[in-house]
Amino acid sequence: MIEVSPIVLAVAGAALAIWMGAALYILVTGMRMRRHSRNLRDQADRLAALLQSAPAIPMMVRSDGKIETPARLAQWLGRDSVPAYLSDLTGEEGGVTEKSRTGLHDDIIAAQRGAKPFTRTLKIENSDRTLLASGGASDAELANPGSALVWLFDISASQKHIEELESESVLLHEALQALSGLIEAAPLPIWHRNSDLRLSLVNTAYVEAVEAQSAAEVIEQETELFEVIDGLHPRDAAGVALGKNEIVTHVAPATLHGERRMMKVIEVPMGKSGVAGYAIDRQDFESARAEQVRLVASQRDMLDRLSAAVAQFGPDRSLTFWNHAFISLFALQPDHLMDHPEFERVLDRMREGGRIPEHRDFPAWRAERREWFRSPDAREENWLLADGTHLRVFAQPMPDGGLLLIFEDRTEQVQLSSARDTLLRVRTATFDSLFEGIGVFASDARLSLWNNRFRTIWNVEEEVLAAHPRIDDFMNMMAPRLAKPPQAGLVRELMRSCTVDRKQRNGRVTFADGRTFDFAAIPLPDGNALFTMLDVTDSRRIEQVLREQNEALAEADRVKTAFLANMSYDLRTPLTSIGGFAEMLKGGYAGDLSDMGREYVGAIIESTGKLSSMIDTVLDLTQGEAGTLPLERTPVELASLIESCRGRWAAAAAEKNIELVADIKPSAGRVMADDKRIAQAIDHLVENALSAVSNGGRVLLHADGQVQTARIVVSDDGPGMDAKQQARAFDRFSSVAGQRRGENLGLGLPLARQLVEAHGGKLTLISEPGEGTVLTMELPRGDLPRLSGSGSAQQSDSDSASDKTDNGD
């Protein structure tokens, strides 16, 4: 048996004791750590549950793009699962819109590489959900370097509310701008005082009223529009309105633009915001009211002087005014009228005096007249009194509900009408005894009066004339009896022109049996037209001599025209050759040209065109100065002529974006003129205006007329001309007209004036620098051609020459 020493046993016991103590310590420590681990796990579970229910979701994006985030993010993104990598999130199927994923990818990369924080709004595809991403570099304790931590918040409800607020803000801003613009544009002074009653806002009308430079100056200097208002300083008057907390109205004088005027002042309290106010100019209203009082007094004084009886009733049907003729006509006592009797009582008084028509049912008749007060239109009727007096009664309802009655004694007029019938019978007998044939056509072109000579000349039955045929129908029936039936249409047109233009027309007509008559269409004061016919068959021999002389003059005119035509040919021939060769060069007949060569050829063609136009203009000017300008006068409808010319101006106006307006009044009518020459003159005037007006300008062509003349006005809003330029505008080769039209010669306006003056008219110019130019062409109407000289296509040469002599041609 081995003996163990006590020392060994002691050491072994000590080691065992130490081991047991260590084991016990480890056991206690393990149990404590287990309890701590369980607590930490419970805390982690609670934090995970709290994080799961939180309105934000964390998303860790590691340096390799791997994403760590709760599964709840998949629901927000509208995906079946959470994206595993950043490329999945920012890809096409990541769940966010293209714009959002591009920006998010760039922001996360910047946070990973440069620790740059970011905040971005993300829109989810196919959803109204909006997310707010706020992120930056991840803490080193949470992840490896190069990772980014992004917190995602669901702000859909907040974003919608923000959009609604933004929309409401825009509407409020627009309303405020509109209100501010309205206040600023208001024609009456408007102001606002802050809580200490000092001016804080004024509009332009206020600034102009106090003759200040700006609103800031008015507010800075506290310039008041009124000196005092009801004995108080304007600030104190505003304080009264603010203290009462109600709108207060005052009437106070103010000096506006050096004139003392009465103003109505309205102060509107606005609580803590202060007081707003505005002023209305009542000076014109007060003046108008005073003027109305004077007008009523003057009107009544005038009515009192009328020979017609006048009575006025108020809205309550009481008599408010009467004149002396009313008392005299109806034999009324002034004392009875001073009590202002009602309408019915006045009718009763008039009946007692026998001054109204007799009726079986007078009350019903009176009730019908009482309805005059409520009638929307004026009433008129005739009264025949028992003593033979004829009264014309005019009842006018007044705007205030009253009634104005006017009684006109027409007894004398009825007697005059009877006398007129007698005079008409005398006139008819006188007409029948005249040698000339006479017919009177009414304003509606119907034959209303004729004598026996008229019926004999046309060889028609009395029954035909008694049907009062129109001039159109009558001349159509008579056409076969004329040597030239188309002349019937000319007679018809001359009669119509006489009726419309109120000017005498003359002509000659030849019957098939050889008789020749001069006729005249003469306008009468009552609007009718007198048609007279005189037998001039014997005077035809004298006319033949005049016709031969006229032919000799025409031959001389032809010689002159031939000379001018030859001269024009000699001038144009070289130009034609130059232009033709230039066109051939341009067309490549001489080979291809360089760019500069083509430019030179284009310049030659353009110059020859301009030179040809200048030659035409010079020739016209030369003929005009020599008095040889050929004119073929025919009836010209100015409206049709201008309309036919507009196409020539459209391209030039469109090229400069010029608004070209033509205002042709019906009164422009017709003139006896050469349509080509008048069109040429109008072209020059319009082209002058178009060349003077800058891009986007405006040119107006206006045409109207009077009885004797027609007027064409061409105006523009160009730079205008001073007095020196106006004095030289019509000079030949003047630089003024040339500059306005882009010409060197400046012949447009001089030629236009010669063309107008050749027709017996005149061309005037009015202009102001910076205000534009107005050119006015006045043309005489001239006599329309007579029937026998109206058209060479319907008459022989001899008749045409004679007719031109008769019409002053």
Side-chain angles (χ1 to χ4, degrees):
M1 181 175 184
I2 299 174
E3 292 183 3
V4 179
S5 66
I7 295 173
V8 172
L9 290 173
V11 172
L16 181 60
I18 293 172
W19 182 85
M20 290 296 292
L24 181 62
Y25 173 78
I26 291 173
L27 179 62
V28 172
T29 301
M31 293 178 66
R32 186 185 297 118
M33 291 180 65
R34 182 180 180 183
R35 286 195 301 270
H36 181 68
S37 176
R38 185 182 297 114
N39 292 336
L40 289 177
R41 186 170 59 252
D42 293 341
Q43 185 178 1
D45 292 340
R46 288 194 300 272
L47 291 176
L50 181 62
L51 184 61
Q52 187 69 18
S53 62
I57 299 177
M59 182 177 67
M60 179 69 71
V61 183
R62 299 191 179 275
S63 58
D64 60 354
K66 187 175 182 180
I67 295 178
E68 296 179 4
T69 184
R72 189 157 54 102
L73 180 60
Q75 180 183 356
W76 284 13
L77 296 177
R79 292 170 52 98
D80 296 334
S81 61
V82 174
Y85 290 90
L86 178 61
S87 58
D88 296 336
L89 177 62
T90 58
E92 294 183 357
E93 298 181 357
V96 296
T97 61
E98 180 180 0
K99 181 178 180 182
S100 299
R101 60 175 175 257
T102 301
L104 179 61
H105 181 273
D106 295 340
D107 290 340
I108 292 176
I109 296 301
Q112 288 176 332
R113 297 178 179 178
K116 182 179 179 181
F118 66 90
T119 300
R120 174 172 296 277
T121 302
L122 305 179
K123 292 289 186 179
I124 306 303
E125 289 185 337
N126 303 321
S127 174
D128 295 334
R129 188 185 299 274
T130 302
L131 303 181
L132 177 64
S134 178
S138 173
D139 195 303
E141 298 178 355
L142 298 177
N144 296 329
S147 299
L149 177 62
V150 182
W151 286 92
L152 300 174
F153 302 87
D154 188 352
I155 61 170
S156 301
S158 301
Q159 184 68 19
K160 183 177 181 181
H161 184 60
I162 290 173
E163 292 176 354
E164 292 176 352
L165 291 177
E166 289 178 349
S167 177
E168 183 178 356
S169 175
V170 171
L171 293 177
L172 292 175
H173 179 73
E174 292 177 352
L176 179 60
Q177 291 294 329
L179 180 60
S180 300
L182 178 63
I183 293 175
E184 184 65 19
L188 61 156
I190 301 177
W191 61 90
H192 177 265
R193 301 178 186 274
N194 52 27
S195 56
D196 60 356
L197 301 181
R198 295 183 181 276
L199 291 174
S200 62
L201 175 67
V202 295
N203 68 345
T204 301
Y206 189 106
V207 176
E208 293 177 351
V210 299
E211 299 182 356
Q213 297 297 323
S214 63
E217 178 184 340
V218 173
I219 296 173
E220 180 181 357
Q221 299 182 4
E222 297 185 8
T223 307
E224 297 288 350
L225 179 61
F226 301 93
E227 298 175 1
V228 293
I229 299 177
D230 292 345
L232 300 175
H233 190 273
R235 284 202 301 269
D236 298 333
V240 172
L242 187 61
K244 293 182 177 180
N245 195 27
E246 63 181 21
I247 299 176
V248 178
T249 302
H250 310 275
V251 177
T255 302
L256 303 181
H257 308 292
E259 182 181 357
R260 199 69 170 173
R261 303 182 71 85
M262 294 301 297
M263 308 287 289
K264 181 180 180 180
V265 186
I266 295 89
E267 301 280 2
V268 182
M270 304 181 67
K272 295 182 180 180
S273 299
V275 180
Y278 60 94
I280 302 175
D281 191 346
R282 289 179 56 88
Q283 186 67 36
D284 294 337
F285 173 77
E286 296 295 338
S287 300
R289 184 167 61 179
E291 181 65 24
Q292 183 183 14
V293 173
R294 291 192 296 268
L295 180 62
V296 170
S298 175
Q299 182 184 26
R300 291 191 172 184
D301 182 66
M302 177 192 67
L303 293 176
D304 196 39
R305 298 174 185 273
L306 292 178
S307 59
V310 179
Q312 186 172 353
F313 296 86
D316 58 353
R317 299 182 181 177
S318 62
L319 183 65
T320 58
F321 171 78
W322 63 91
N323 63 356
H324 293 292
F326 181 76
I327 297 175
S328 175
L329 179 62
F330 295 102
L332 299 174
Q333 294 296 328
D335 294 341
H336 296 160
L337 304 181
M338 294 301 295
D339 295 335
H340 301 287
E342 293 184 353
F343 178 72
E344 293 81 355
R345 290 182 55 193
V346 174
L347 291 181
D348 292 339
R349 292 284 184 182
M350 295 164 61
R351 185 191 184 197
E352 293 173 0
R355 306 304 293 170
I356 63 174
E358 291 294 336
H359 293 274
R360 296 182 179 180
D361 191 355
F362 175 73
W365 180 86
R366 182 178 59 186
E368 291 177 358
R369 302 305 173 277
R370 188 166 55 243
E371 294 299 320
W372 286 350
F373 283 88
R374 293 191 290 268
S375 174
D377 302 317
R379 299 290 186 90
E380 182 179 346
E381 61 184 26
N382 295 312
W383 290 1
L384 177 59
L385 307 186
D387 61 357
T389 302
H390 291 263
L391 295 181
R392 176 176 174 265
V393 183
F394 181 79
Q396 175 64 58
M398 305 300 290
D400 60 355
L403 182 68
L404 177 66
L405 293 178
I406 300 176
F407 302 89
E408 180 185 3
D409 189 347
R410 298 175 57 88
T411 305
E412 184 177 354
Q413 295 182 13
V414 173
Q415 295 173 352
L416 290 175
S417 178
S418 177
R420 173 179 173 275
D421 293 339
T422 302
L423 291 176
L424 289 176
R425 290 192 293 270
V426 173
R427 184 189 65 180
T428 300
T430 303
F431 280 175
D432 287 340
S433 62
L434 293 177
F435 177 75
E436 294 179 327
I438 294 178
V440 177
F441 290 86
S443 57
D444 61 354
R446 289 188 176 277
L447 181 65
S448 61
L449 184 66
W450 62 93
N451 64 354
N452 289 330
R453 178 61 176 165
F454 183 85
R455 182 177 59 82
T456 303
I457 291 174
W458 292 103
N459 192 23
V460 294
E461 299 296 331
E462 184 71 21
E463 292 76 10
V464 175
L465 301 180
H468 303 286
R470 295 176 59 88
I471 183 65
D472 304 16
D473 301 332
F474 181 75
M475 294 310 302
N476 288 337
M477 289 188 297
M478 298 297 107
R481 305 182 184 185
L482 300 178
K484 297 179 180 179
Q487 288 184 337
L490 180 59
V491 175
R492 179 177 63 250
E493 291 301 324
L494 291 181
M495 286 297 300
R496 181 176 297 147
S497 176
C498 171
T499 305
V500 175
D501 297 338
R502 312 303 301 156
K503 190 172 182 180
Q504 179 174 337
R505 304 296 184 185
N506 301 313
R508 178 174 295 171
V509 62
T510 302
F511 283 78
D513 57 6
R515 294 177 300 156
T516 302
F517 289 85
D518 276 349
F519 69 86
I522 304 172
L524 298 178
D526 59 356
N528 297 337
L530 177 65
F531 183 74
T532 64
M533 300 183 66
L534 179 64
D535 191 346
V536 293
T537 305
D538 295 335
S539 64
R540 294 288 291 176
R541 291 187 298 273
I542 300 175
E543 292 181 3
Q544 183 62 31
V545 176
L546 297 176
R547 193 175 294 113
E548 293 174 356
Q549 294 178 353
N550 186 62
E551 290 175 354
L553 293 175
E555 180 62 25
D557 184 71
R558 283 192 292 271
V559 173
K560 173 203 67 180
T561 302
F563 169 76
L564 292 177
N566 292 333
M567 182 179 65
S568 175
Y569 176 80
D570 293 337
L571 289 174
R572 288 192 180 95
T573 299
L575 279 178
T576 303
S577 299
I578 294 172
F581 286 123
E583 291 288 349
M584 292 177 65
L585 289 174
K586 183 179 180 181
Y589 288 96
D592 294 336
L593 299 177
S594 63
D595 293 341
M596 184 173 294
R598 284 192 294 270
E599 182 179 352
Y600 289 163
V601 170
I604 293 173
I605 294 174
E606 181 180 359
S607 298
T608 54
K610 290 183 179 180
L611 186 57
S612 178
S613 176
M614 292 177 186
I615 291 174
D616 292 339
T617 302
V618 171
L619 289 176
D620 289 340
L621 282 171
T622 303
Q623 292 175 336
E625 290 181 350
T628 61
L629 189 66
L631 296 177
E632 296 180 4
R633 296 178 184 266
T634 58
V636 178
E637 287 285 349
L638 291 180
S640 301
L641 179 65
I642 294 173
E643 187 64 27
S644 65
C645 294
R646 292 184 65 179
R648 297 195 292 271
W649 317 323
E655 182 179 356
K656 299 176 66 177
N657 194 24
I658 295 175
E659 182 183 7
L660 180 58
V661 180
D663 179 20
I664 313 301
K665 302 296 183 183
S667 59
R670 300 190 303 171
V671 296
M672 281 296 298
D674 187 328
D675 56 347
K676 294 183 180 179
R677 295 298 185 181
I678 296 301
Q680 185 180 2
I682 296 174
D683 285 342
H684 283 304
L685 298 186
V686 175
E687 291 169 3
N688 172 77
L690 291 176
S691 61
V693 174
S694 58
N695 290 343
R698 188 172 189 267
V699 174
L700 171 64
L701 190 149
H702 172 84
D704 58 17
Q706 303 293 333
V707 176
Q708 300 294 334
T709 60
R711 184 179 65 167
I712 299 175
V713 181
V714 178
S715 60
D716 63 70
D717 58 356
M721 293 185 282
D722 56 24
K724 183 178 180 180
Q725 291 174 320
Q726 294 180 47
R728 300 181 57 194
F730 292 106
D731 293 344
R732 292 180 55 186
F733 308 104
S734 169
S735 61
V736 176
Q739 291 172 1
R740 281 182 60 84
R741 293 196 54 192
E743 300 173 350
N744 294 326
L745 297 179
L747 300 177
L749 292 181
L751 178 58
R753 184 173 67 173
Q754 284 198 2
L755 292 174
V756 174
E757 290 178 349
H759 288 80
K762 62 179 180 179
L763 179 64
T764 58
L765 180 146
I766 300 176
S767 182
E768 288 290 339
E771 299 295 333
T773 302
V774 178
L775 288 160
T776 303
M777 177 196 304
E778 293 186 7
L779 296 171
R781 296 286 186 189
D783 292 334
L784 288 174
R786 292 183 179 179
L787 177 62
S788 57
S790 63
S792 57
Q794 297 180 1
Q795 296 184 348
S796 64
D797 294 339
S798 61
D799 289 339
S800 177
S802 175
D803 294 337
K804 289 182 180 178
T805 304
D806 295 338
N807 288 285
D809 292 332

